[in-house]
Amino acid sequence: MTDKTQSGIFPASAEFVANAHVTAESYASMYADSVKDPDAFWAEHGKRVDWIKPFTKVQNASFAPGNIDIRWFEDGTLNVAANCIDRHLETRGEQTAIIWEPDSPEEQALHITYRELHEQVGKMANVFKGLGVGKGDRVVIYMPMIPEAAYAMLACARIGAIHSIVFAGFSPDALGARVNGCDAKLVITADHAPRGGRATKLKDNVNQALLHETRDVKCLVVKRTGDQIAWRAGVDFWWHEEAAKVSADCPPEEMNAEDPLFILYTSGSTGQPKGVVHSSGGYLVYAAMTHEITFDYHDGDVYWCTADVGWVTGHSYIVYGPLANGATTLMFEGVPTYPDASRFWQVCEKHKVNQFYTAPTALRALMGQGKEFVERCDLSSLKVLGTVGEPINPEAWNWYNDVVGKGERPIVDTWWQTETGGHLMTPLPGAHATKPGAAMKPFFGIEPVVLEPTSGAVLEGNGVEGVLCISSSWPGQMRTVWEDHERFEKTYFSDYKGYYFTGDGCRRDEDGDYWITGRVDDVINVSGHRMGTAEVESALVAHAKVAEAAVVGYPHNIKGQGIYCYVTLMNGEEPSEALRKELRDFVRQEIGPIASPDLIQWAPGLPKTRSGKIMRRILRKIAEDDYGALGDISTLADPTVVEELIDNRMNKD
Ligand code: 6R9
């Protein structure tokens, strides 16, 4: 072990490799096949799902300017819910599909079999139909982490409705914008969402979000706590009451491979979140395949992804990927530190979890609490550990490896995005020795290229750093931005023509392994949550006392990046601590607690070019406490503002 640590390279044990789906040898040959003849490769792997009408065409994808068109398996038909449930009934009807672990360890966990899942999803699908939802209609899901959230997703898939999940931590305003954005017919929610011993009033948030809605948006409410809520007569319905009235029999709708399965809003570099649209066929093939191979999932394993279904990770790796594979997937309602910092590890012990997948921010928070919380639990069932969401610092990686994995479990650091549907780069646990913080190698069929940021020239060879693009399509790729295909092209295909631009920076090291260096656009990553700085800026300037605002990220011990705001007040307004708090609360209310500013610096002036553009590069450097590297400031309209900002920089300690 000391040897490995010194070299910074961690191979899997011979025992692990012997039983792994993919080894170093098979990776090399499969990867070569996947890029040499992608049609043949994906024609084979397309069989991972059951088709109603088998596809004859595999891929039809163009990244050409003016003609961004991505299709996979385009003449095939299928039903995603039938693939995640019905096809398993014969062989594993009595197997647990979902283990549900509630917020409080005092409350009973649930084990839902594939047969029970089939029944619940069938009922929910019939309730949706009864409420007027049909093929192609949109349903917004605003739910705690309870099994009904998964039922709702699968019920949509069963009848061909398109779901759009809004994270339960988002504010009523953010929810309202998303309900409107996709013209949803129905919102499904719960009365309250217990989390970390506190409860969010989800139904009240829905009421507030729909206050100015002119259409009658119906709302189906799951009773989670039974506490009092305000009811909108005629448009609100209790799930348990409606479920009692319908049959569980709901034949799955035949869907085209390219029919949208879901929309998921995500932040970009502009103020407006984008509705990322995913397909039915290609998405499911890719989610299922990556789930099995990246985590080396074997039949009978218990798999746990700690994400929320409100994020893409919850879509692909709690629900669709695992269930398509007939896996047992664990859904956790709570947080890592409630009732104490042992909670994750207790759940691993209790349910004998084999694959555990979480975010670096959670690991950093737990690392700070000390290893006793881990060591008091029996973690011998663990086989593979995963991380996702942001770059993992070597310290957290080493802690994960040593304290949680006892130096014996491969760690898969999976790099991917809402837009990619599934993992694009990750070590495979039986194939690649890992390096702390490296995403290592492309998944099958993925062709990464590193470009020189300004010229767009392809950087060949090893030991290079630049922006990360992907040169050809893969089945899980997003297909468009909801009702804005132009924005799809502009965001992802216009900076570097002919490539999908990820927005991330990347280094290919001397061994040809990939390291993600973080976003190169105005997107920051706060506790693994993507946040467009422009969104926080528009929230701030919406406040009556704010004239102008600029927001950047800065290094934060636990969150990875914190939110640093430079705020210029309206003439005559005085800065004060009370106003700081007011602005913080205002942003929370506009977007949600995850967007809460960490630091607010009063800025009488912002560094701007003569054409009036804010020079964020400089603001980023000041926030990072890195004045040596400010670069050329001579093009500023008024260079003295920089000095003033440095003098008044917020003390971060
Ligand atoms: C799945 C997910 C995507 C952005 C992505 C990148 C960052 C995700 C990462 C990672 C380094 C990893 N990111 N995984 N950076 N290493 N293993 O997180 O999707 O919420 O859309 O965020 O997150 O910057 O571009 P999403």
Side-chain angles (χ1 to χ4, degrees), residues 277-570:
V277 177
H278 277 290
S279 70
S280 298
Y283 169 82
L284 192 68
V285 167
Y286 200 72
M289 181 171 181
T290 46
H291 169 261
E292 182 187 55
I293 289 178
T294 302
F295 300 110
D296 199 46
Y297 185 88
H298 289 260
D299 238 10
D301 284 346
V302 174
Y303 159 89
W304 180 18
C305 164
T306 70
D308 191 283
V309 289
W311 310 117
V312 73
T313 307
H315 287 62
S316 301
Y317 299 114
I318 294 178
V319 178
Y320 291 117
L323 295 179
N325 290 334
T328 298
T329 181
L330 195 149
M331 229 178 143
F332 176 46
E333 190 183 34
V335 298
T337 47
Y338 174 80
D340 67 28
S342 231
R343 187 74 168 117
F344 268 4
W345 321 120
Q346 282 165 359
V347 174
C348 284
E349 174 180 311
K350 178 172 169 189
H351 298 293
K352 302 200 168 36
V353 170
N354 300 116
Q355 290 88 7
F356 176 74
Y357 190 32
T358 196
T361 186
L363 296 173
R364 285 192 298 265
L366 294 174
M367 187 168 76
Q369 307 280 322
K371 57 184 179 185
E372 315 77 76
F373 289 102
V374 189
E375 285 171 350
R376 71 168 78 127
C377 301
D378 175 5
L379 298 182
S380 56
S381 59
L382 290 174
K383 295 198 279 196
V384 174
L385 305 174
T387 79
V388 59
E390 53 179 316
I392 182 165
N393 47 315
E395 243 184 316
W397 194 99
N398 284 319
W399 184 84
Y400 202 19
N401 186 53
D402 297 341
V403 179
V404 180
K406 321 288 181 224
E408 289 167 358
R409 276 72 170 183
I411 297 181
V412 290
D413 178 357
T414 62
W415 171 80
W416 60 296
Q417 313 176 295
T418 305
E419 293 87 340
T420 71
H423 306 145
L424 288 202
M425 290 213 261
T426 174
L428 299 183
H432 305 122
T434 50
K435 299 177 182 177
M440 297 300 292
K441 294 289 185 200
F443 194 77
F444 302 119
I446 304 303
E447 299 185 87
V449 284
V450 182
L451 303 185
E452 203 286 314
T454 333
S455 68
V458 176
L459 299 173
E460 307 277 2
N462 293 338
V464 293
E465 183 165 344
V467 297
L468 175 60
C469 289
I470 311 292
S471 65
S472 62
S473 185
W474 63 99
Q477 184 171 25
M478 73 182 280
R479 300 301 197 255
T480 190
V481 170
W482 180 251
E483 290 189 330
D484 198 350
H485 199 65
E486 214 174 293
R487 189 166 173 206
F488 179 51
E489 168 155 5
K490 189 164 177 300
T491 311
Y492 303 103
F493 301 95
S494 65
D495 290 355
Y496 304 101
K497 301 264 183 300
Y499 297 106
Y500 166 76
F501 173 45
T502 65
D504 279 315
C506 163
R507 178 160 66 88
R508 187 164 53 228
D509 71 13
E510 296 300 340
D511 304 326
D513 296 326
Y514 290 88
W515 300 71
I516 305 300
T517 53
R519 300 290 302 197
V520 295
D521 52 10
D522 288 320
V523 172
I524 56 179
N525 198 319
V526 184
S527 300
H529 299 149
R530 252 167 93 160
M531 178 66 43
T533 52
E535 279 172 72
V536 185
E537 286 166 8
S538 17
L540 283 166
V541 295
H543 190 282
K545 294 181 184 166
V546 175
E548 202 167 23
V551 172
V552 297
Y554 73 94
H556 187 288
N557 278 347
I558 306 275
K559 299 181 179 181
Q561 282 190 298
I563 303 178
Y564 194 116
C565 309
Y566 297 88
V567 171
T568 310
L569 293 175
M570 290 286 190

Side-chain angles (χ1 to χ4, degrees), residues 559-590:
K559 299 181 179 181
Q561 282 190 298
I563 303 178
Y564 194 116
C565 309
Y566 297 88
V567 171
T568 310
L569 293 175
M570 290 286 190
N571 255 341
E573 296 297 343
E574 283 301 314
S576 68
E577 271 317 303
L579 184 53
R580 259 204 189 103
K581 179 167 184 312
E582 194 177 314
L583 293 183
R584 209 168 268 142
D585 290 346
F586 189 75
V587 175
R588 289 169 73 94
Q589 197 191 321
E590 292 276 304

Side-chain angles (χ1 to χ4, degrees), residues 48-279:
R48 285 174 176 269
V49 308
D50 286 357
W51 298 89
I52 299 170
K53 178 170 156 282
F55 57 88
T56 63
K57 296 181 191 156
V58 179
Q59 175 181 189
N60 187 356
S62 151
F63 290 180
N67 178 35
I68 308 298
D69 190 7
I70 298 157
R71 296 182 223 184
W72 283 87
F73 314 117
E74 63 179 306
D75 58 350
T77 64
L78 78 165
N79 183 279
V80 168
N83 270 283
C84 291
I85 310 170
D86 306 38
R87 67 164 168 166
H88 305 310
L89 290 178
E90 206 174 301
T91 49
R92 51 177 100 237
E94 308 318 316
Q95 181 203 305
T96 301
I98 299 176
I99 299 175
W100 177 67
E101 177 64 35
D103 185 46
S104 162
E106 312 282 304
E107 201 178 329
Q108 193 85 45
L110 295 176
H111 288 77
I112 298 138
T113 64
Y114 273 96
R115 200 167 306 288
E116 288 162 340
L117 182 63
H118 182 252
E119 189 178 318
Q120 294 297 323
V121 170
K123 283 192 175 206
M124 201 175 277
N126 280 332
V127 169
F128 284 1
K129 278 187 180 169
L131 293 174
V133 179
K135 186 171 175 170
D137 288 338
R138 273 79 57 204
V139 173
V140 163
I141 301 176
Y142 184 64
M143 292 277 263
M145 284 291 290
I146 53 178
E148 288 82 355
Y151 304 162
M153 296 164 77
L154 294 162
C156 286
R158 196 159 191 92
I159 63 174
I162 303 168
H163 62 72
S164 170
I165 307 191
V166 178
F167 174 54
F170 277 137
S171 69
D173 284 358
L175 171 64
R178 285 156 176 76
V179 172
N180 252 314
C182 69
D183 212 6
K185 266 198 173 166
L186 173 73
V187 176
I188 169 159
T189 192
D191 46 2
H192 292 90
R195 215 163 159 257
R198 289 190 301 227
T200 309
K201 297 177 171 176
L202 285 192
K203 175 64 174 110
D204 285 0
N205 285 356
V206 172
N207 291 354
Q208 226 178 306
L210 299 180
L211 215 51
H212 307 292
E213 181 61 64
T214 48
R215 301 171 302 132
D216 267 351
V217 180
K218 292 185 178 131
C219 185
L220 187 65
V221 187
V222 176
K223 192 179 255 186
R224 171 65 185 100
T225 63
D227 292 331
Q228 183 102 29
I229 52 171
W231 202 248
R232 302 174 314 150
V235 280
D236 288 343
F237 303 87
W238 281 114
W239 154 239
H240 61 274
E241 286 177 3
E242 299 307 308
K245 299 178 197 161
V246 294
S247 116
D249 183 30
C250 176
E253 193 76 33
E254 179 170 356
M255 304 298 288
N256 182 270
E258 281 300 313
D259 283 335
L261 176 63
F262 65 84
I263 305 170
L264 184 57
Y265 283 84
T266 192
S267 299
S269 29
T270 68
Q272 277 301 318
K274 296 178 284 279
V276 167
V277 177
H278 277 290
S279 70

